[in-house]
Amino acid sequence: MYSEKVMDHFTNPRNVGEIENASGVGTVGNAKCGDIMRIYFDIDENQVIRDVKFKTFGCGAAVATSSMATELVKGKTIYEALEVTNKAVMEALDGLPPVKVHCSLLAEEAIHAALWDYCQNNDITIEGLKKPKSDIGEEEVEEEY
Ligand code: FES
């Protein structure tokens, strides 16, 4: 049912954790299942994502897609990171079962929310980046971890 890559990223997820004093943090919830994802970016002065970490209160597919998504955005500029869609993440994982496709959206939305946060903090606009609908904020989810 799951590809080897999905199983690999699920059992050995990359970039789990958090970044203190992160340049941007995005927290999103999946309306379908209630799962939660938070992504932290450390962005350097050239707008390159130097480091990225994630934490999730989510299913195995959400862990695997977030792990892969963090690998894909690391070292990219904030503009390139916007191109890392859930479709790109799923392709990099050799696919997901159809019922799990919504899980991959969590990573994409969390990346967008963290980029948005960075832009807000630095007074930058990224063309095509919209204000995250589902950024549920810091305070509300603190107890979930
Ligand atoms: Fe909720 Fe996968 S079932 S993110």
Side-chain angles (χ1 to χ4, degrees), residues 63-134:
V63 171
T65 47
S66 303
S67 168
M68 180 56 92
T70 55
E71 288 286 274
L72 291 178
V73 297
K74 204 190 263 186
K76 293 220 161 76
T77 68
I78 54 173
Y79 304 97
E80 291 165 341
L82 193 60
E83 310 293 316
V84 177
T85 59
N86 75 309
K87 197 161 164 271
V89 173
M90 282 198 298
E91 273 167 19
L93 285 170
D94 295 337
L96 275 178
V99 294
K100 287 289 178 185
V101 170
H102 75 276
C103 313
S104 65
L105 283 169
L106 211 52
E108 180 187 306
E109 286 172 3
I111 287 172
H112 289 183
L115 286 174
W116 180 266
D117 186 42
Y118 169 76
C119 289
Q120 295 291 98
N121 295 340
N122 292 279
D123 221 1
I124 293 171
T125 310
I126 303 179
E127 205 178 323
L129 179 65
K130 297 196 189 77
K131 186 175 191 312
K133 281 193 281 310
S134 48

